[in-house]
């Protein structure tokens, strides 16, 4: 019966990150730097808000777009942190994580044959949704631009079929981000063109060296901003994300959301409300710790003799394979996991432009990082 299925579904594959992580999970004593999962617990006051929601029977449907109090808090958060202005009643949608937000936004704007420009390497979650819409992902090689999707690169990739440009910054897998000047150049290039920008800003609260800036500050009418509490508040399992978009666009995205999931979890919404109000600065302590880990990891990688891109945000570092290694990034990751019990994600997972690199997550303790990096050093020193 498989031949009767939607061909677009048959063509897509399970995420390479999950696939590889599952492959090495059963190796005894493995040190895993694979999944982008904060190792901090959800803040206690946020958990208590979720418990209270259950005890007070806040377990019914909410408005399709989400509880208005949460939408107001999300709008205020975006304004306070990033200077963005969205009407909570009509321009904010609460979703089941950033993943659903991306899905409903792309399904609203894409048509069969339309093209979506995205940087390579990039998080593998966008392409399957694009293909399910019958649209075409157009990867742009960013290896010679410090892994940044610049205005010049976009200009070269634009066609009369371009419907959307994806700006996923701070980036998974590279950790790089775009400066205000670079965002302004992109906005100037595409302003007035019949296309959208999807800005996946889920790591916005984990920007280390400069305040996060959003393309929506420069190009509000064409921008769809994706965010959420998964990374900022260590709430991955609560599944709360947000779509911020102009009213004339948001009302159509809401229709897709409504028929997809009705609404996000009411209990999780109460916890997210606490996170964005009383916990508006909760990410600061986590960010300090991530910054320490970044410095530790980068110093150790340099000592090992590996070339890497120093991340501006998120909690990943993108590392080039040792020059003496002649196999693929997948082979490298498999061999290192099997021989010295440390797991990283092959760069090829993030498009062909990630080949020759690997992604390492530092969302784990300094002790774990030290243990894994010592194993990595041993593996590399023993390469023929």
């Amino acid at each position: 019966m498989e031949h009767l299925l939607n061909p677009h579904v048959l063509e897509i594959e399970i995420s390479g990150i999950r696939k590889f992580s599952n492959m090495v999970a059963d190796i005894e004593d493995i040190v895993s730097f694979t999944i982008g999962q904060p190792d901090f617990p959800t803040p206690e006051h946020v958990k208590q808000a979720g418990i209270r929601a259950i005890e007070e029977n806040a377990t019914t449907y909410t408005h399709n777009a989400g509880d208005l109090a949460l939408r107001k808090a999300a709008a205020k958060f975006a304004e306070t942190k990033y200077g963005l202005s969205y009407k909570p009643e009509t321009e904010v949608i609460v979703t089941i994580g950033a993943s659903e937000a991306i899905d409903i936004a792309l399904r609203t704007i894409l048509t069969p044959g339309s093209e979506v420009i995205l940087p390579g390497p990039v998080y593998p979650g966008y392409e399957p949704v694009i293909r399910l819409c019958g649209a075409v992902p157009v990867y742009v090689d960013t290896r010679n631009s410090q892994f940044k999707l610049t205005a010049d690169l976009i200009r070269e990739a634009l066609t009369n079929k371009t419907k959307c440009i994806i700006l996923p910054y701070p980036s998974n897998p590279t950790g790089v981000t775009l400066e205000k000047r670079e965002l302004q150049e992109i906005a100037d290039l595409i302003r007035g063109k019949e296309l959208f920008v999807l800005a996946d800003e889920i790591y916005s609260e984990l920007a280390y060296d400069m305040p996060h800036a959003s393309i929506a500050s420069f190009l509000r009418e064409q921008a769809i901003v994706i965010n959420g509490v998964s990374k900022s508040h260590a709430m991955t399992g609560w599944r709360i994300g947000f779509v911020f978009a102009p009213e004339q666009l948001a009302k159509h995205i809401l229709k897709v959301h409504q028929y997809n999931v009705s609404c996000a979890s009411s209990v999780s919404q109460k916890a997210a409300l606490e996170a964005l109000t009383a916990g508006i600065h909760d990410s600061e302590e986590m960010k300090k710790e991530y910054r320490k880990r970044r410095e530790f990891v980068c110093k150790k990688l340099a000592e090992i003799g590996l070339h890497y891109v120093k991340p501006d945000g998120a909690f990943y570092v993108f590392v080039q394979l040792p020059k003496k290694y002649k196999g693929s990034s997948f082979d490298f990751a498999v061999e290192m996991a099997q021989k010295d019990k440390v797991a990283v994600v092959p760069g090829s997972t993030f498009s062909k432009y990630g080949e020759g690199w690997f992604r390492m997550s530092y969302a784990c303790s300094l002790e774990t990082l030290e243990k894994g990096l010592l194993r990595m050093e041993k593996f590399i020193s023993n390469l023929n």
Side-chain angles (χ1 to χ4, degrees):
M1 301 294 284
E2 191 177 39
H3 67 284
L4 300 177
L5 301 181
N6 182 337
H8 293 311
V9 175
L10 294 175
E11 289 168 4
I12 64 175
E13 297 183 4
I14 299 297
S15 161
I17 302 172
R18 291 285 178 178
K19 190 185 296 184
F20 188 81
S21 181
N22 294 339
M23 184 193 309
V24 300
D26 293 333
I27 297 177
E28 188 177 353
D29 192 35
I30 190 83
V31 175
S32 180
F33 298 140
T34 57
I35 300 296
Q37 167 71 41
D39 62 315
F40 298 98
T42 300
E44 188 61 33
H45 68 104
V46 175
K47 291 191 287 187
Q48 290 302 317
I51 292 169
R52 285 196 304 274
I54 295 171
E55 292 175 339
E56 295 169 6
N57 295 313
T59 55
T60 61
Y61 291 124
T62 68
H63 188 289
N64 292 127
D67 185 80
L68 183 56
L70 177 55
R71 284 183 277 148
K72 286 181 177 179
K76 185 172 178 57
F77 186 89
E79 183 174 22
T80 301
K81 294 280 188 171
Y82 315 124
L84 303 178
S85 179
Y86 288 98
K87 292 179 284 187
E89 296 84 1
T90 57
E91 297 185 321
V92 182
I93 302 169
V94 183
T95 62
I96 300 183
S99 295
E100 194 232 339
I102 292 165
D103 176 59
I104 60 175
L106 290 176
R107 284 202 284 152
T108 299
I109 64 175
L110 296 183
T111 53
S114 57
E115 294 178 352
V116 180
I117 294 173
L118 63 171
V122 72
Y123 170 66
Y126 307 111
E127 179 177 341
V129 180
I130 294 167
R131 292 199 179 280
L132 285 171
C133 294
V136 181
V138 177
Y139 288 98
V140 173
D141 185 354
T142 62
R143 289 173 295 183
N144 293 323
S145 61
Q146 298 178 301
F147 293 112
K148 295 183 178 187
L149 185 58
T150 64
D152 286 341
L153 290 174
I154 291 171
R155 185 181 291 107
E156 293 173 8
L158 284 172
T159 73
N160 58 8
K161 294 182 179 179
T162 304
K163 180 65 73 71
C164 179
I165 299 164
I166 294 180
L167 295 182
Y169 297 102
S171 162
N172 173 8
T174 67
V176 304
T177 197
L178 297 181
E179 300 175 19
K180 285 185 176 180
R181 170 187 57 80
E182 295 165 319
L183 291 168
Q184 181 70 69
E185 289 172 356
I186 293 171
D188 291 344
L189 171 65
I190 63 176
R191 182 175 289 106
K193 290 183 167 61
E194 294 188 335
L195 56 84
F196 300 98
V197 177
L198 182 75
D200 183 354
E201 302 180 3
I202 192 66
Y203 292 100
S204 60
E205 282 296 277
L206 301 180
Y208 304 121
D209 304 317
M210 62 185 116
H212 173 73
S214 174
I215 188 71
S217 299
F218 307 97
L219 198 70
R220 187 185 189 278
E221 290 308 306
Q222 290 172 247
I224 304 168
V225 177
I226 308 295
N227 216 313
V229 293
S230 288
K231 314 299 183 181
S232 60
H233 290 78
M235 293 177 67
T236 53
W238 295 83
R239 308 311 301 134
I240 293 293
F242 303 104
V243 173
F244 300 93
E247 183 174 348
Q248 291 304 308
L249 180 55
K251 69 180 182 181
H252 296 295
I253 298 175
L254 180 59
K255 291 186 289 187
V256 181
H257 169 73
Q258 173 188 341
Y259 290 115
N260 191 19
V261 298
S262 293
C263 64
S265 158
S266 58
V267 171
S268 294
Q269 287 190 57
K270 292 292 186 184
L273 176 60
E274 175 74 10
L276 295 187
T277 51
I280 190 169
H281 300 302
D282 280 352
S283 65
E284 289 303 315
E285 284 304 310
M286 299 183 211
K287 185 162 69 172
K288 284 180 187 175
E289 185 61 28
Y290 286 135
R291 188 185 281 113
K292 280 185 202 172
R293 296 173 185 179
R294 176 189 68 164
E295 298 306 320
F296 175 81
V297 168
C298 289
K299 182 173 182 290
K300 187 63 180 176
L301 289 170
E303 289 173 358
I304 295 172
L306 291 172
H307 174 66
Y308 60 88
V309 180
K310 188 171 183 178
D312 302 311
F315 37 63
Y316 310 105
V317 59
F318 210 49
V319 188
Q320 196 165 28
L321 299 186
K323 286 186 170 57
K324 59 184 174 180
Y325 189 81
K326 302 307 178 186
S328 69
S329 60
F330 182 84
D331 293 338
F332 176 88
V334 170
E335 285 183 39
M336 188 161 65
Q338 292 175 341
K339 291 180 180 177
D340 286 287
K341 297 186 177 183
V342 56
V344 295
V345 181
S348 56
T349 297
F350 306 100
S351 85
K352 67 181 182 180
Y353 299 117
E355 183 52 73
W357 298 71
F358 65 84
R359 189 195 77 175
M360 173 183 170
S361 168
Y362 50 89
C364 48
S365 69
L366 282 171
E367 293 76 16
T368 301
L369 290 168
E370 184 171 25
K371 181 179 179 181
L373 284 164
L374 283 171
R375 293 181 181 186
M376 187 183 296
E377 184 174 28
K378 178 187 172 188
F379 174 74
I380 290 169
S381 67
N382 288 334
L383 288 174
N384 293 325

